[in-house]
Amino acid sequence: MKMAVITFPGSNCDYDLYKAVQQVGGEATFVWHRQRRLHGYDAVMLPGGFSYGDYLRAGAIARLSPVMESVVAFARSGGPVLGVCNGFQILCEAGLLPGALVRNASLRFESRDVHLRVERQDTLFTSEYDAGAVLRVPIAHGDGNYQADDDTLERLEGEGRVVFRYVDPTGTVTPDANPNGSWGNIAGIVSADGNVLGMMPHPERAMESLLGSADGVGVFTSLVKSLSTAAV
Amino acid sequence: MPQDLVTSPLPRPTDPPVTPELVADHGLSPEEYERVLHVMGRELTFTELGVFSAMWSEHCGYKNSRRLLRLLPTEAPWVIQGPGENAGVIDIGDGYALAFKIESHNHPSAVEPYQGAATGVGGILRDIFTMGARPIAVLDSLRFGDLDSPRVRYLFSGVVAGVGDYGNCVGIPNIGGEVAFDRGYEGNPLVNALCIGLMKTEDLITASASGVGNTLMAVGARTGRDGIHGATFASEELSQDSDEASRPQVQVGDPFTEKLLLEASLELIASGAITGIQDMGAAGITSSASEMAGRAGNGVELDVALVPVREPGMTPYEILLSESQERMLVVAEKGQEDEVRRILEKWELEAAVIGRVTDDGRFRVLEGGVVVADIPALPLTQGCPTYEREGVESEEVKALRSADLSAHATPSGDLTELFLRVLGSPNVANKRWIYHQYDTTVRTGTAVRPGGDAGVVRIRGTRRGVAATTDCNGRFTYLDPRRGTLAAMAEAARNLACAGALPTAITNCLNFGNPLKPHIYYQFREAVRAMADACQAFETPVTGGNVSFYNETDGKAVYPTPVIGMVGVVEDVDHITRAAFRNPGDAVVLLGRNSAELGGSEYLYVTAGLVAGEPPEVDLMAERRLQQAVLAMIQAGALHSAHDCSDGGLAVTLAESALGSADPGDASLGVEVTLDDDLPPVAVLFGEAQGRVVVSCAPERLDEVLRLAADHDVPARSIGAVGAPGGALRIRVRGAAVELPGERVRDTWLQGLSGIMDAPHAAGA
Amino acid sequence: MSSHRLEIRVKPRPGLLNPEGKAIHHALAALGWAAVHDVRVGKVIYVDMDADTPDAALVEAEAMCRKILANPVTEDFEISLVAAEGGVPS
């Protein structure tokens, strides 16, 4: 399973994603943002960080990088794309996912563990989780507040495209469980065709109990499994 | 070249004449200026005056500290690089080395807290990656006045936002630190940042400019007027607009460029195309170029017209003294300049050839080919005079220290209420208001996040970890500089041991007032001497550090605050131990002895507004035995938790272990103990006696824990047990008790700092 | 008393590094706008308020800038009265 981890100037979670893929037996390659062609990859990952310093708008400059044309083409042809944190922001700026991530409601950077409920267990990225599973995963972001217009939000909920939601440890959606003001406690969504996932929390940082939680492993094993099944 | 054959540079037409007044404004005493003239053999140009004023300033020259700093032990078999380079480096085993250093950015943070703190982090990161090490963690040690002042709240929130935004953007996790609020820091906040970096032992690169004929290159950001102060040293541009000239030119940080610079620098170092690299920090190009030359015994010649600039009309003086951030000075192997450029271009950074390494031992500066400064390098970098000043203890402090505290040994109210006041004070309360603004998990290495005794990073590919902490109790050091410094060292070492790490080495950040004042120099001298003694006792050599003098406003200095940044090695990540209790029913054991000492305590400050009395005694050998005992217990797998006693005293230590992380999903536990010491209850609960650690273990391992303590000659006794999830806190002392439902303890602790900072009125300058 | 709209332009002080502007300049150059030689980023703040006269509103706005809207160490500000119709411009 060959995964491309796209690196923009300022990405700083590329290494963590790389290690996560390796941990589940996949093969990861760093792809520098200036590279125009993407061939031979089974999946593409956009890591977290501060591409271009988050100057102007988070992800706004990155999404115009040479490599993004290929990423968009890959996604439109059905290739799996995972965007984490800044990666999610880039996917929204690039129009591969609806809505936008704006400044956290607290106006501060929020860095801590949150709990997520897996809303859909039938996606490429969540097949290894039980439906309704509650995961403990770190967040670390200043602009993680998911917002969209009413039509979009209605559609997302109606079509079941919310994949992860912020909850309390018992799995209940509460205002306190929402770290950034995201509408509907939305933490991660999937595209209409189901192959592009964007999420603000960092599953690649929840791969080992030594570091606090191994609940993120499922995202990567799901992807690897989905791809091997598809390859058959 | 004989001095009489050296041509004197002609003065630039727009430079001011070098008069005694101008020399004095540049911070050089008449005697120092005489010395400069003797070194030079002629009068100075204005540019040369600027160079000497920077290199012979307190900040670069360490004039008033160097002699005392020589007392500090700096060697050990595991020290690869001691003081003198950008950072110290120690061998941590398995082929890995750790570079680390702490630095201050106090004065800029008082002017512009966000940028001052941000650029402080930027500077220390550069000091680490210029050694060839990849930064793996930062810690911050902060001091402010009391939080009831809007200006203090403004400084505090600005500093935290600056530390966070810069570190988060570069992508380095913050794994710990400390903050203290006391009126002693009212006019002068202290912002110290520590960075640790990882590399293979064979990857060490030094900053010296070896190889005559090699090329000097400026890489990274362009040079602007950042950090050049005051109207006196007017540039051609500034003099045209007096309004501009009177404003300080604050340094603005760009963490995005820093991230690129970090990657580019590590790649440059790995490429073999360079022989030296240095961060351009204080006094920018001047210090980096001249120091590189001085170290190698060579000379450098550079042309300021070749330095990429951000502003028009910059003079040589300005270019040489600029403190613009995110710039490095690189020595490329002759012929490798294109390779250097290629690497920098990949990271979208500029690189410009600005000069070369010579063999004439001079620091020579040209402006478009015309010499404007020509100085012998070694006297410039090492000829700075050093002083030993008069040190006399302040009578006021002596009186404070001998204050009679016996009235305070009787509680002024209900013990439980007093406990809540101490627990809820900003110094003691939970600090997540701070570290929730810091990315603590990026780079997937953080095994112990902020909130405990020491931060721990695991070293991938090995079984090891590295632990780090910053500690200093400014009140203790104010009341008794020697004891206070011993206590800072002892606390740091206890913190590391509790995390499962062997204390290995230190870096120090010495924050003091004006050393020309005898009572300040006394503080400094006693602190350094005490540090030397403790370093010997703990076998933790000093590998580098920073001195920050003149932290005073209107003649009032901050408390002497020698911050100890201590690092240690965790042999096996299985040894990593946390402060939080884990299992209901576990035995709670107190290692060490309680005492009647209340001097300098948080209790005294909270209940009586007092900083007085003798700080608690420190027995260095007993501390060492305690560290060893804790490590032995941890390595035997006997402990479920370990937490050292410090601010607020034993009651707070017990509460913190019971409360745990306060994260959703991590339940707090109850605790029930009995402390039957024949001492005033207030002292047992809130005294800050040294040499104490609270551990917990399974009941069946209690005997083993007590035996291990006895083996190390450490007093130990079981004092009670861990309670149920959400259970009560119950501490019984002679004739009284502190008793509270767990919920109440938790709320007070969580609100103590957040309640103040999240309140609507909080923001404001 | 009448309602006034003030347009407050908070600008980065000249001579200081403007990281946002620098990054955007780079991006514009990469997208083909080589003619751009500098970019600096500030912000615009719209304040709708009641005051007896327009001048009185200006005086208040200046006080707001000095107190909180601009950081005197790193920012300059300019204030103008602008026509207010409906809400704040979207």
Side-chain angles (χ1 to χ4, degrees), chain A residues 12-49:
Chain A
N12 59 35
C13 308
D14 45 344
Y15 177 75
D16 296 338
L17 260 186
Y18 179 92
K19 287 311 228 179
V21 168
Q22 281 191 335
Q23 184 179 320
V24 298
E27 193 188 313
T29 311
F30 291 119
V31 174
W32 186 235
H33 74 115
R34 288 221 202 106
Q35 188 175 309
R36 290 189 180 275
R37 299 161 73 78
L38 270 182
H39 277 322
Y41 293 105
D42 302 300
V44 170
M45 298 185 172
L46 299 177

Short mmCIF file of all heavy atoms in Angstrom, two decimals, chain A residues 12-49:
data_model
loop_
_atom_site.label_atom_id
_atom_site.label_comp_id
_atom_site.label_asym_id
_atom_site.label_seq_id
_atom_site.Cartn_x
_atom_site.Cartn_y
_atom_site.Cartn_z
N ASN A 12 4.06 20.40 9.48
CA ASN A 12 4.93 19.84 10.50
C ASN A 12 4.42 18.54 11.08
O ASN A 12 4.98 18.03 12.03
CB ASN A 12 5.23 20.88 11.60
CG ASN A 12 3.98 21.39 12.27
OD1 ASN A 12 3.03 20.65 12.47
ND2 ASN A 12 3.99 22.65 12.65
N CYS A 13 3.35 17.98 10.51
CA CYS A 13 2.87 16.69 10.99
C CYS A 13 3.08 15.63 9.92
O CYS A 13 2.53 14.53 10.02
CB CYS A 13 1.39 16.77 11.35
SG CYS A 13 1.03 18.12 12.48
N ASP A 14 3.87 15.97 8.91
CA ASP A 14 4.09 15.01 7.83
C ASP A 14 4.81 13.78 8.36
O ASP A 14 4.48 12.65 8.02
CB ASP A 14 4.87 15.67 6.68
CG ASP A 14 6.05 16.50 7.14
OD1 ASP A 14 6.12 16.85 8.34
OD2 ASP A 14 6.90 16.83 6.30
N TYR A 15 5.79 14.05 9.24
CA TYR A 15 6.56 12.95 9.81
C TYR A 15 5.66 12.00 10.61
O TYR A 15 5.78 10.78 10.53
CB TYR A 15 7.66 13.55 10.68
CG TYR A 15 8.51 12.56 11.40
CD1 TYR A 15 9.48 11.83 10.73
CD2 TYR A 15 8.36 12.36 12.78
CE1 TYR A 15 10.27 10.92 11.39
CE2 TYR A 15 9.15 11.44 13.44
CZ TYR A 15 10.10 10.73 12.75
OH TYR A 15 10.88 9.83 13.42
N ASP A 16 4.75 12.56 11.39
CA ASP A 16 3.86 11.74 12.21
C ASP A 16 2.95 10.87 11.35
O ASP A 16 2.71 9.70 11.67
CB ASP A 16 3.00 12.64 13.12
CG ASP A 16 3.84 13.43 14.12
OD1 ASP A 16 4.98 13.00 14.42
OD2 ASP A 16 3.37 14.48 14.60
N LEU A 17 2.46 11.42 10.25
CA LEU A 17 1.60 10.65 9.35
C LEU A 17 2.40 9.50 8.71
O LEU A 17 1.92 8.38 8.61
CB LEU A 17 1.07 11.54 8.22
CG LEU A 17 -0.34 12.08 8.35
CD1 LEU A 17 -0.72 12.82 7.07
CD2 LEU A 17 -1.34 10.96 8.61
N TYR A 18 3.60 9.85 8.31
CA TYR A 18 4.52 8.88 7.70
C TYR A 18 4.71 7.68 8.62
O TYR A 18 4.59 6.53 8.25
CB TYR A 18 5.82 9.61 7.43
CG TYR A 18 6.94 8.82 6.82
CD1 TYR A 18 7.11 8.77 5.44
CD2 TYR A 18 7.87 8.16 7.63
CE1 TYR A 18 8.17 8.07 4.88
CE2 TYR A 18 8.92 7.45 7.07
CZ TYR A 18 9.08 7.42 5.70
OH TYR A 18 10.12 6.73 5.15
N LYS A 19 4.99 7.97 9.90
CA LYS A 19 5.23 6.91 10.88
C LYS A 19 3.97 6.09 11.13
O LYS A 19 4.04 4.89 11.33
CB LYS A 19 5.71 7.51 12.21
CG LYS A 19 7.13 8.04 12.18
CD LYS A 19 8.08 7.04 11.59
CE LYS A 19 9.33 6.84 12.40
NZ LYS A 19 10.21 5.83 11.78
N ALA A 20 2.83 6.77 11.10
CA ALA A 20 1.57 6.05 11.34
C ALA A 20 1.32 5.03 10.23
O ALA A 20 0.94 3.89 10.49
CB ALA A 20 0.42 7.04 11.43
N VAL A 21 1.55 5.46 9.01
CA VAL A 21 1.36 4.55 7.87
C VAL A 21 2.30 3.36 7.98
O VAL A 21 1.90 2.21 7.81
CB VAL A 21 1.60 5.30 6.54
CG1 VAL A 21 1.70 4.33 5.37
CG2 VAL A 21 0.50 6.32 6.31
N GLN A 22 3.55 3.65 8.32
CA GLN A 22 4.53 2.56 8.47
C GLN A 22 4.12 1.59 9.55
O GLN A 22 4.28 0.37 9.42
CB GLN A 22 5.90 3.15 8.83
CG GLN A 22 6.64 3.71 7.66
CD GLN A 22 8.08 4.03 8.01
OE1 GLN A 22 8.41 4.27 9.17
NE2 GLN A 22 8.94 4.02 7.02
N GLN A 23 3.58 2.15 10.63
CA GLN A 23 3.23 1.31 11.76
C GLN A 23 2.21 0.24 11.38
O GLN A 23 2.22 -0.86 11.92
CB GLN A 23 2.69 2.16 12.91
CG GLN A 23 2.39 1.37 14.18
CD GLN A 23 1.88 2.24 15.31
OE1 GLN A 23 2.38 3.35 15.51
NE2 GLN A 23 0.91 1.77 16.05
N VAL A 24 1.30 0.56 10.45
CA VAL A 24 0.27 -0.42 10.07
C VAL A 24 0.66 -1.20 8.83
O VAL A 24 -0.17 -1.86 8.20
CB VAL A 24 -1.10 0.25 9.87
CG1 VAL A 24 -1.56 0.87 11.18
CG2 VAL A 24 -1.07 1.27 8.76
N GLY A 25 1.94 -1.10 8.47
CA GLY A 25 2.43 -1.94 7.38
C GLY A 25 2.34 -1.33 6.00
O GLY A 25 2.58 -2.00 4.99
N GLY A 26 1.97 -0.04 5.95
CA GLY A 26 1.92 0.60 4.64
C GLY A 26 3.27 1.20 4.27
O GLY A 26 4.19 1.25 5.08
N GLU A 27 3.37 1.66 3.03
CA GLU A 27 4.60 2.29 2.58
C GLU A 27 4.29 3.75 2.33
O GLU A 27 3.41 4.08 1.55
CB GLU A 27 5.02 1.62 1.26
CG GLU A 27 6.43 1.94 0.81
CD GLU A 27 6.69 1.40 -0.59
OE1 GLU A 27 6.34 0.23 -0.83
OE2 GLU A 27 7.20 2.17 -1.43
N ALA A 28 5.01 4.62 3.00
CA ALA A 28 4.73 6.06 2.87
C ALA A 28 5.88 6.76 2.20
O ALA A 28 7.05 6.42 2.42
CB ALA A 28 4.49 6.66 4.25
N THR A 29 5.55 7.73 1.35
CA THR A 29 6.58 8.53 0.67
C THR A 29 6.24 10.00 0.83
O THR A 29 5.08 10.40 0.65
CB THR A 29 6.60 8.22 -0.84
OG1 THR A 29 6.63 6.81 -1.02
CG2 THR A 29 7.80 8.86 -1.52
N PHE A 30 7.24 10.80 1.17
CA PHE A 30 7.01 12.25 1.23
C PHE A 30 7.00 12.78 -0.19
O PHE A 30 7.87 12.46 -0.99
CB PHE A 30 8.14 12.95 1.99
CG PHE A 30 8.14 12.65 3.46
CD1 PHE A 30 9.23 12.03 4.04
CD2 PHE A 30 7.06 12.99 4.26
CE1 PHE A 30 9.25 11.74 5.39
CE2 PHE A 30 7.07 12.70 5.61
CZ PHE A 30 8.16 12.07 6.18
N VAL A 31 6.01 13.58 -0.52
CA VAL A 31 5.94 14.21 -1.83
C VAL A 31 5.96 15.72 -1.63
O VAL A 31 5.07 16.30 -1.01
CB VAL A 31 4.64 13.80 -2.57
CG1 VAL A 31 4.50 14.57 -3.87
CG2 VAL A 31 4.64 12.30 -2.82
N TRP A 32 6.99 16.36 -2.15
CA TRP A 32 7.16 17.81 -1.96
C TRP A 32 6.13 18.55 -2.81
O TRP A 32 5.83 18.15 -3.94
CB TRP A 32 8.58 18.18 -2.36
CG TRP A 32 9.02 19.59 -2.11
CD1 TRP A 32 9.55 20.46 -3.03
CD2 TRP A 32 8.98 20.31 -0.87
NE1 TRP A 32 9.85 21.66 -2.44
CE2 TRP A 32 9.50 21.61 -1.12
CE3 TRP A 32 8.56 20.01 0.42
CZ2 TRP A 32 9.63 22.58 -0.13
CZ3 TRP A 32 8.69 20.99 1.41
CH2 TRP A 32 9.21 22.25 1.12
N HIS A 33 5.61 19.63 -2.32
CA HIS A 33 4.47 20.33 -2.93
C HIS A 33 4.74 20.81 -4.35
O HIS A 33 3.81 21.08 -5.10
CB HIS A 33 4.06 21.51 -2.06
CG HIS A 33 5.02 22.68 -2.14
ND1 HIS A 33 4.67 23.89 -2.67
CD2 HIS A 33 6.32 22.79 -1.78
CE1 HIS A 33 5.71 24.73 -2.62
NE2 HIS A 33 6.72 24.07 -2.08
N ARG A 34 6.01 20.88 -4.74
CA ARG A 34 6.30 21.39 -6.09
C ARG A 34 6.21 20.29 -7.14
O ARG A 34 6.26 20.56 -8.33
CB ARG A 34 7.71 21.99 -6.13
CG ARG A 34 7.82 23.30 -5.41
CD ARG A 34 8.67 24.28 -6.19
NE ARG A 34 9.20 25.30 -5.29
CZ ARG A 34 10.45 25.35 -4.87
NH1 ARG A 34 11.32 24.46 -5.31
NH2 ARG A 34 10.84 26.28 -4.03
N GLN A 35 6.08 19.05 -6.67
CA GLN A 35 6.02 17.93 -7.62
C GLN A 35 4.64 17.91 -8.26
O GLN A 35 3.63 17.86 -7.58
CB GLN A 35 6.26 16.63 -6.87
CG GLN A 35 6.40 15.42 -7.76
CD GLN A 35 6.76 14.20 -6.93
OE1 GLN A 35 7.70 14.24 -6.13
NE2 GLN A 35 6.01 13.13 -7.08
N ARG A 36 4.60 17.97 -9.59
CA ARG A 36 3.30 18.08 -10.25
C ARG A 36 2.59 16.74 -10.44
O ARG A 36 1.38 16.70 -10.47
CB ARG A 36 3.47 18.75 -11.62
CG ARG A 36 3.81 20.21 -11.49
CD ARG A 36 3.75 20.95 -12.82
NE ARG A 36 4.08 22.35 -12.60
CZ ARG A 36 3.18 23.27 -12.21
NH1 ARG A 36 1.93 22.95 -12.06
NH2 ARG A 36 3.57 24.51 -11.99
N ARG A 37 3.39 15.68 -10.59
CA ARG A 37 2.75 14.41 -10.93
C ARG A 37 2.72 13.46 -9.74
O ARG A 37 3.66 13.35 -8.98
CB ARG A 37 3.50 13.77 -12.10
CG ARG A 37 3.48 14.66 -13.33
CD ARG A 37 4.58 14.25 -14.30
NE ARG A 37 4.27 13.00 -14.98
CZ ARG A 37 3.42 12.90 -16.00
NH1 ARG A 37 2.80 13.95 -16.46
NH2 ARG A 37 3.17 11.72 -16.55
N LEU A 38 1.60 12.76 -9.64
CA LEU A 38 1.42 11.79 -8.58
C LEU A 38 1.07 10.46 -9.21
O LEU A 38 -0.07 10.23 -9.57
CB LEU A 38 0.21 12.19 -7.72
CG LEU A 38 0.35 13.09 -6.51
CD1 LEU A 38 -1.00 13.25 -5.86
CD2 LEU A 38 1.34 12.52 -5.51
N HIS A 39 2.05 9.57 -9.34
CA HIS A 39 1.73 8.30 -9.97
C HIS A 39 2.02 7.14 -9.07
O HIS A 39 2.99 7.15 -8.34
CB HIS A 39 2.55 8.13 -11.26
CG HIS A 39 1.94 8.84 -12.43
ND1 HIS A 39 0.60 8.90 -12.63
CD2 HIS A 39 2.52 9.51 -13.43
CE1 HIS A 39 0.36 9.59 -13.73
NE2 HIS A 39 1.51 9.97 -14.24
N GLY A 40 1.20 6.16 -9.16
CA GLY A 40 1.50 4.92 -8.46
C GLY A 40 1.17 4.93 -6.98
O GLY A 40 1.65 4.09 -6.23
N TYR A 41 0.36 5.90 -6.55
CA TYR A 41 -0.01 5.91 -5.14
C TYR A 41 -1.43 5.39 -4.97
O TYR A 41 -2.31 5.62 -5.79
CB TYR A 41 0.10 7.32 -4.56
CG TYR A 41 1.53 7.79 -4.49
CD1 TYR A 41 2.01 8.73 -5.40
CD2 TYR A 41 2.40 7.28 -3.54
CE1 TYR A 41 3.32 9.14 -5.36
CE2 TYR A 41 3.72 7.69 -3.49
CZ TYR A 41 4.18 8.62 -4.42
OH TYR A 41 5.48 9.02 -4.37
N ASP A 42 -1.65 4.68 -3.89
CA ASP A 42 -2.97 4.14 -3.61
C ASP A 42 -3.81 5.12 -2.81
O ASP A 42 -5.04 5.04 -2.81
CB ASP A 42 -2.84 2.83 -2.83
CG ASP A 42 -2.03 1.81 -3.60
OD1 ASP A 42 -2.46 1.44 -4.71
OD2 ASP A 42 -0.97 1.38 -3.11
N ALA A 43 -3.15 5.99 -2.10
CA ALA A 43 -3.87 6.98 -1.29
C ALA A 43 -2.98 8.20 -1.10
O ALA A 43 -1.75 8.11 -1.20
CB ALA A 43 -4.25 6.39 0.07
N VAL A 44 -3.60 9.32 -0.86
CA VAL A 44 -2.88 10.58 -0.64
C VAL A 44 -3.26 11.15 0.72
O VAL A 44 -4.43 11.11 1.10
CB VAL A 44 -3.24 11.60 -1.76
CG1 VAL A 44 -2.70 12.99 -1.42
CG2 VAL A 44 -2.70 11.13 -3.09
N MET A 45 -2.26 11.66 1.43
CA MET A 45 -2.53 12.25 2.74
C MET A 45 -2.01 13.68 2.81
O MET A 45 -0.89 13.96 2.37
CB MET A 45 -1.86 11.42 3.83
CG MET A 45 -2.42 10.02 3.87
SD MET A 45 -1.74 9.10 5.24
CE MET A 45 -2.77 7.63 5.14
N LEU A 46 -2.84 14.55 3.33
CA LEU A 46 -2.44 15.94 3.54
C LEU A 46 -2.28 16.15 5.04
O LEU A 46 -3.25 16.05 5.80
CB LEU A 46 -3.50 16.89 2.99
CG LEU A 46 -3.79 16.78 1.50
CD1 LEU A 46 -4.92 17.73 1.09
CD2 LEU A 46 -2.54 17.10 0.68
N PRO A 47 -1.05 16.41 5.49
CA PRO A 47 -0.79 16.45 6.94
C PRO A 47 -1.15 17.77 7.60
O PRO A 47 -1.41 18.77 6.92
CB PRO A 47 0.72 16.23 7.01
CG PRO A 47 1.25 16.82 5.74
CD PRO A 47 0.16 16.64 4.71
N GLY A 48 -1.11 17.76 8.88
CA GLY A 48 -1.33 18.97 9.67
C GLY A 48 -0.09 19.84 9.70
O GLY A 48 0.95 19.50 9.15
N GLY A 49 -0.23 20.99 10.31
CA GLY A 49 0.90 21.92 10.40
C GLY A 49 0.43 23.32 10.10
O GLY A 49 -0.75 23.62 10.22
#
